[in-house]
């Protein structure tokens, strides 16, 4: 158990605490506040610029409520996702996304208009969207704590009752006692520098597991994005116009942005650099592409590369669960986690409910973030309101698996944290472990990861910015263990999970894989709701 | 990575210190400085917010590129991202009003064929 926050530190109370201020967290905060409860939102970075949405444009699963369109939208990823999505959830998310996008229009988001003057509501520009969300959240009376990463959840015998962390800009510890908590900390991209993703280290997965919640679909966690080798800009849509070449100008047969990513990976693994050129877009089309997706071109323009004409080296950068679909298991319609008082939304939660095991990027994730955020916000507000007077007399304790302390920890801890991070990255980044999965590769990696967890779990972690990094290293280690344990258990290929030793999909494994546990990781199966089979 | 805080341009408004998600900047006296460059995730958000275009994020995520301020000014790179987004004073419209990337369709052959036609 960890030492409580110090007396002089920032101590607050609220009905609902939202952890994470990306789209999921801000929608959760807005929706909870609209129910008339007191809400605090804490972000590791800055609510408005932090997370995977803020730096770039996102497509949104915005589909008019017309039966034919909706059916087509639902069918679009159903098979690719290994038939693990559920009808009822897709309907709810499509409805709520439609509603929320229209609300954004009313709240002042400057949607483009088409030739007939109708607003075009199928995408959002991150900087604009998240700046507006911050404004709306503040207007709703929510208190925002920026640069205030959570280090651990607080709980008593009735359930989760708040969280504690540190303010990274002044070094002070903080804690919030709350009736309910929404985890909206995003996914885990393992500090790979994918665009906007270095704040996303799986912290929420670890917090949830420490509170006794479980995860779902962690085998669907190996999203890799094509991007220029030098760049952080993992915008992949336009690579559908690309051809891929070797240095001598000969074509890389079979390489492509969708199915052909593995061809690129195999070449990179063999030490053969692959180059790309967007020569599938003719000259008349190029200016049209430039109008949209501007930050796709930013790195090229700054280096004087013309991506339509010049070859540039590419790599596959790990985005982990951010554009994967695994996350905290959802147990009810309010995005509850099964632990009293604890809710999850956005990339922190599983997105299998709407896209199964195939990437949630490109529209589904954004829709899920805003709708699950709303569901969780409503659920948390109702739960907290239901606690009544009872909530005033709680004395919750911290749940961190490593002791969190106030006193100085030993010298050299920062260097050790960096070593742990590198060690985890060495397990999750390599294509021959994480992309091309085999029993042997996964099992031996898991052994090393289990060892890494053991080494870290009894470390004393100080409530300082350095301590935040230590907790991130733990969260990434835990995430990798749930990932590979689930991947090992799924002895077939389904969605983005590809087993080299089981290349086909197996009807008898048409189920979810639930995982959890800290010192002992476990995996078990769960039925997919029956009605999903109807599609 | 973040490579430059222009000492000539910075007005000490602290916005970059506030908005940087990974807490890269600090104030030194009245000016912002790059205090933890190794934590930079090359997300370009600080550039978008700086009101006087004093910041430059090089597109290289890993290597330090050491650009020359005068060259950046002459080539129009200093402040170019804020301008793209349309957050510069006097911008005619914002990127949000322009961007109609059809993300669902961009992946399909049929759609690309159609776009090539429109392009012509
Ligand atoms: C380059 C790129 C392009 C994408 N394009 C699309 C697209 O076109 N369409 C689509 O649907 N999806 C897309 N996605 C996915 C989409 O961005 C995410 O699904 C979405 O951002 C999820 O929202 P979120 O609120 O759950 O998480 P995020 O937006 O990632 O926000 C999480 C927040 O939690 C905070 N946080 C993390 N840990 C802690 C902690 N310990 N304490 C406090 N706060 C914490 C972070 O600082 C961050 O602000 C894309 C992703 C990437 C990387
Ligand atoms: S945002 Fe720009 S002007 Fe403001 S402190 Fe930072 S560098 Fe200086
Ligand atoms: S590019 Fe992003 S991470 Fe780097 S300094 Fe600017 S805001 Fe911070």
């Amino acid at each position: 158990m960890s030492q409580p926050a110090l007396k002089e530190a920032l101590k607050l109370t609220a009905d609902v605490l939202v952890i994470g201020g990306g789209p999921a967290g801000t929608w959760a905060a807005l929706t909870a506040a609209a129910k008339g409860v007191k809400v605090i939102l804490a972000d590791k970075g800055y609510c408005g610029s932090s997370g995977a949405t803020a730096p770039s444009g996102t497509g949104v699963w915005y589909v008019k409520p017309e039966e034919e369109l909706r059916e087509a939208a639902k069918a679009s990823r159903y098979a690719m996702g290994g038939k693990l999505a559920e009808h009822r959830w897709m309907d709810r998310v499509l409805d709520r996304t439609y509603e929320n996008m229209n609300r954004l229009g009313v709240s002042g988001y400057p949607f483009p208009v088409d030739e007939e003057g109708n607003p075009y509501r199928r995408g959002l520009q991150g900087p604009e969207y998240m700046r507006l969300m911050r404004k709306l959240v503040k207007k709703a009376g929510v208190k925002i704590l920026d640069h205030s990463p959570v280090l651990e959840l607080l709980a008593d015998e009735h359930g989760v009752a708040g969280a504690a962390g540190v303010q990274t800009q002044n070094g002070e510890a903080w804690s919030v006692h709350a009736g309910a908590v929404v985890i909206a900390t995003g996914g885990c991209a393992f500090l790979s520098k994918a665009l906007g993703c270095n704040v996303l280290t799986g912290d929420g997965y670890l917090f949830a597991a420490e509170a006794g919640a479980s995860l779902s679909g962690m085998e669907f966690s190996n999203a890799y994005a094509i991007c220029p080798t030098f760049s952080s800009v993992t915008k992949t849509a336009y690579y559908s116009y690309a051809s891929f070449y070797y240095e001598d100008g000969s074509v890389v047969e079979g390489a492509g942005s969708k199915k052909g990513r593995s061809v690129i990976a195999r070449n990179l693994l063999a030490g053969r650099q692959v180059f790309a050129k967007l020569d599938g877009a003719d000259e008349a089309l190029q200016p049209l592409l430039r109008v949209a997706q501007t930050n796709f071109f930013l790195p090229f323009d700054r280096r004087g590369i013309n991506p339509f004409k010049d070859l540039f080296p590419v790599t596959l950068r790990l985005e982990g669960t951010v554009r994967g679909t695994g996350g905290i298991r959802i147990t009810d319609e309010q995005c509850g986690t099964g632990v009293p008082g604890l809710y999850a939304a956005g990339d922190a939660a599983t997105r299998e409910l709407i896209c199964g095991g195939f990437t949630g990027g490109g529209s589904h994730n954004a829709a899920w973030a805003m709708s699950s955020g709303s569901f969780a916000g409503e659920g948390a507000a109702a739960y907290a309101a239901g606690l009544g007077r009872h909530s005033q007399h709680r004395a919750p304790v911290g749940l961190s698996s490593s002791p969190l302390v106030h006193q100085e920890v030993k010298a050299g801890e920062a260097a050790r944290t960096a070593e742990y991070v590198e060690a985890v990255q060495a397990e999750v980044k390599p294509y021959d472990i994480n992309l091309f999965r085999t029993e042997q590769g996964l099992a031996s990696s898991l052994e090393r990861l289990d060892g890494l967890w053991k080494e870290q779990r009894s470390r004393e972690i100080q409530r300082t910015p350095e301590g935040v990094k230590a907790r991130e290293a733990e969260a990434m280690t835990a995430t990798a263990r749930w990932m590979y344990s689930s991947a090992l258990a799924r002895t077939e290929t389904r969605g983005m999970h590809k087993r080299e030793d089981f290349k086909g999909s197996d009807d008898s494994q048409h189920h979810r894989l639930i995982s959890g546990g800290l010192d002992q990781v476990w995996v078990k199966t769960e039925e997919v709701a029956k009605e999903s089979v109807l599609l | 990575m973040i490579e430059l805080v222009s000492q000539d341009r910075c007005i000490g408004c602290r916005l970059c210190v506030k908005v940087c998600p990974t807490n890269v900047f600090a104030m030194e006296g009245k000016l912002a400085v790059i205090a933890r460059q190794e934590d930079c995730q090359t997300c370009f958000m600080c550039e978008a917010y700086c009101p006087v275009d004093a910041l430059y994020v090089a597109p290289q995520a890993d290597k330090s590129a050491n650009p020359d301020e005068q060259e950046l000014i002459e080539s129009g790179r200093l402040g170019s991202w804020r301008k793209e987004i349309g957050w510069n004073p006097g911008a005619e419209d914002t990127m949000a009003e322009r961007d109609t990337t059809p993300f669902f369709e961009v992946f399909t052959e049929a759609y690309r064929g159609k776009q090539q036609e429109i392009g012509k």
Side-chain angles (χ1 to χ4, degrees):
Chain A
M1 207 185 77
S2 42
Q3 296 174 354
L6 288 179
K7 279 221 177 58
E8 60 271 29
L10 181 65
K11 283 190 162 187
L12 302 166
T13 57
D15 295 304
V16 173
L17 170 67
V18 178
I19 310 175
T26 48
W27 277 104
L30 257 189
T31 319
K35 299 281 168 199
V37 301
K38 184 175 167 195
V39 183
I40 296 177
L41 183 156
D43 196 285
K44 182 191 275 186
Y46 177 81
C47 169
S49 64
S50 194
T53 290
S56 59
T58 40
V60 180
W61 208 30
Y62 176 83
V63 184
K64 290 210 173 80
E66 290 164 24
E67 202 182 328
E68 217 173 293
L69 295 175
R70 286 282 170 99
E71 289 306 317
K74 289 197 287 180
S76 69
R77 283 190 196 185
Y78 186 69
M80 281 191 286
K83 303 186 181 175
L84 295 175
E86 294 184 15
H87 239 327
R88 189 172 49 93
W89 274 96
M90 289 193 275
D91 287 335
R92 296 181 73 210
V93 166
L94 282 165
D95 283 346
R96 189 56 75 100
T97 300
Y98 188 73
E99 199 181 298
N100 283 357
M101 287 294 276
N102 293 340
R103 262 182 76 188
L104 276 178
V106 176
S107 306
Y109 184 88
F111 283 107
V113 280
D114 63 19
E115 290 103 48
E116 284 117 56
N118 299 314
Y120 179 92
R121 292 197 170 143
R122 290 169 59 177
L124 290 163
Q125 271 305 323
E128 203 77 42
Y129 172 31
M130 292 316 299
R131 185 171 73 170
L132 176 63
M133 287 307 289
R134 182 184 177 91
K135 199 172 112 190
L136 297 176
V137 163
K138 285 194 107 169
K139 216 167 108 190
V142 174
K143 182 176 178 66
I144 298 177
L145 305 176
D146 294 307
H147 298 287
S148 301
V150 167
L151 285 165
E152 64 176 348
L153 294 180
L154 306 175
D156 62 12
E157 72 275 21
H158 303 294
V160 170
V166 61
Q167 295 172 277
T168 47
Q169 294 194 329
N170 64 16
E172 266 187 43
W174 65 266
S175 69
V176 172
H177 284 192
V181 172
V182 179
I183 296 184
T185 47
C188 182
F190 297 98
L191 297 175
S192 71
K193 293 193 178 166
L195 194 60
C197 291
N198 268 27
V199 285
L200 310 173
T201 45
D203 306 4
Y205 303 149
L206 178 61
F207 302 153
E210 286 171 343
S214 42
L215 298 120
S216 180
M218 291 306 283
E219 67 277 33
F220 307 121
S221 48
N222 52 347
Y224 285 90
I226 303 180
C227 83
T229 308
F230 62 84
S231 169
S232 61
V233 180
T234 44
K235 301 293 294 178
T236 49
Y238 283 179
Y239 288 99
S240 58
Y241 296 102
S243 309
F244 297 88
Y245 300 90
Y246 295 113
E247 188 159 24
D248 64 7
S250 59
V251 173
V252 181
E253 291 301 336
S257 71
K258 275 178 72 193
K259 294 225 167 82
R261 273 185 214 192
S262 56
V263 177
I264 300 173
R266 286 194 202 278
N267 275 288
L268 295 174
L269 264 177
R272 291 191 80 175
Q273 181 59 56
V274 173
F275 296 80
K277 175 160 68 166
L278 305 188
D279 45 14
D282 64 21
E283 274 186 23
L285 180 62
Q286 292 167 14
L288 295 182
L289 295 181
R290 270 194 168 271
V291 174
Q293 289 250 351
T294 327
N295 65 350
F296 176 84
F297 294 97
L298 181 68
F300 297 114
D301 292 347
R302 291 199 165 173
R303 293 203 60 186
I305 296 169
N306 176 350
F308 297 112
K309 288 213 170 75
D310 306 334
L311 286 180
F312 54 91
V314 291
T315 190
L316 295 172
R317 210 176 266 278
L318 182 64
E319 292 184 330
T321 63
V322 174
R323 276 203 266 209
T325 64
I328 299 166
R329 177 178 170 232
I330 296 298
T331 59
D332 62 37
E333 301 221 323
Q334 280 72 52
C335 290
T337 61
V339 174
L342 189 63
Y343 297 78
D347 287 359
T350 180
R351 286 138 284 160
E352 291 162 292
L353 298 166
I354 62 160
C355 44
F358 183 74
T359 176
S363 67
H364 287 57
N365 270 356
W368 173 253
M370 67 171 71
S371 43
S372 64
S374 297
F375 301 145
E378 283 163 5
Y383 181 88
L387 288 172
R389 271 183 309 135
H390 174 68
S391 63
Q392 318 258 307
H393 311 286
R394 300 176 77 176
V397 297
L399 298 180
S400 170
S401 34
S402 296
L404 300 184
V405 299
H406 294 288
Q407 66 271 22
E408 294 261 333
V409 289
K410 290 190 296 281
E413 285 300 305
R416 273 182 70 192
T417 299
E419 280 169 26
Y420 291 134
V421 169
E422 262 179 51
V424 178
Q425 288 179 331
E427 302 301 335
V428 293
K429 280 186 176 177
Y431 312 135
D432 50 355
I433 308 178
N434 199 3
L435 189 57
F436 307 119
R437 294 170 163 182
T438 61
E439 164 151 11
Q440 205 201 352
L442 293 167
S444 63
S445 180
L446 259 178
E447 232 175 85
R448 295 186 292 271
L449 287 164
D450 286 344
L452 273 176
W453 173 258
K454 261 200 210 105
E455 275 183 52
Q456 289 173 80
R457 76 98 70 218
S458 48
R459 263 179 115 186
E460 284 197 336
I461 292 179
Q462 206 186 356
R463 296 174 189 271
T464 59
E466 255 334 300
V468 174
K469 292 190 174 179
R471 284 289 275 165
E472 290 180 347
E474 283 192 338
M476 288 189 284
T477 309
T479 302
R481 290 166 73 227
W482 295 313
M483 271 167 57
Y484 285 178
S485 298
S486 304
L488 205 52
R490 196 177 276 290
T491 50
E492 60 156 357
T493 288
R494 190 180 290 269
M496 64 165 53
H497 163 73
K498 298 205 164 61
R499 285 284 296 257
E500 288 287 287
D501 42 359
F502 296 95
K503 292 208 176 204
S505 74
D506 167 9
D507 286 347
S508 72
Q509 297 188 52
H510 177 238
H511 47 224
R512 297 229 161 76
L513 289 179
I514 310 299
S515 56
L518 295 161
D519 293 333
Q520 269 319 321
V521 169
W522 51 264
V523 178
K524 60 184 187 203
T525 62
E526 183 184 66
E527 290 263 322
V528 179
K530 282 278 183 293
E531 91 275 45
S532 66
V533 194
L534 297 177
L535 262 185
Chain B
M1 280 205 268
I2 178 76
E3 292 290 356
L4 174 78
V5 179
S6 164
Q7 303 293 298
D8 293 344
R9 292 187 175 196
C10 177
I11 53 168
C13 71
R14 302 181 60 96
L15 258 178
C16 56
V17 180
K18 260 172 80 177
V19 303
C20 171
T22 54
N23 200 23
V24 165
F25 300 98
M27 296 303 288
E28 217 174 82
K30 286 208 164 107
L31 299 179
V33 293
I34 302 167
R36 288 163 290 271
Q37 189 183 30
E38 68 282 3
D39 286 340
C40 174
Q41 59 169 356
T42 317
C43 69
F44 305 95
M45 292 309 299
C46 51
E47 263 196 61
Y49 276 86
C50 176
V52 292
D53 298 329
L55 299 171
Y56 182 73
V57 179
Q60 289 90 340
D62 297 307
K63 254 185 273 156
S64 191
N66 285 323
D68 175 71
E69 181 171 345
Q70 204 46 44
E71 239 171 70
L72 291 176
I73 294 173
E74 281 159 19
S75 64
R77 283 176 167 86
L78 209 54
S80 69
W81 181 230
R82 187 164 72 117
K83 213 160 128 192
E84 285 290 1
I85 298 181
W87 283 5
N88 56 319
E92 272 174 36
D93 58 4
T94 60
M95 193 154 82
E97 289 157 88
R98 288 192 302 269
D99 191 350
T100 53
T101 316
F103 286 85
F104 309 103
E105 295 92 340
V106 96
F107 297 98
T108 63
E109 294 287 340
Y111 172 78
R112 268 176 286 152
K114 206 170 82 193
Q115 284 299 293
Q116 299 279 17
E117 283 305 306
I118 297 170
K120 277 170 192 144

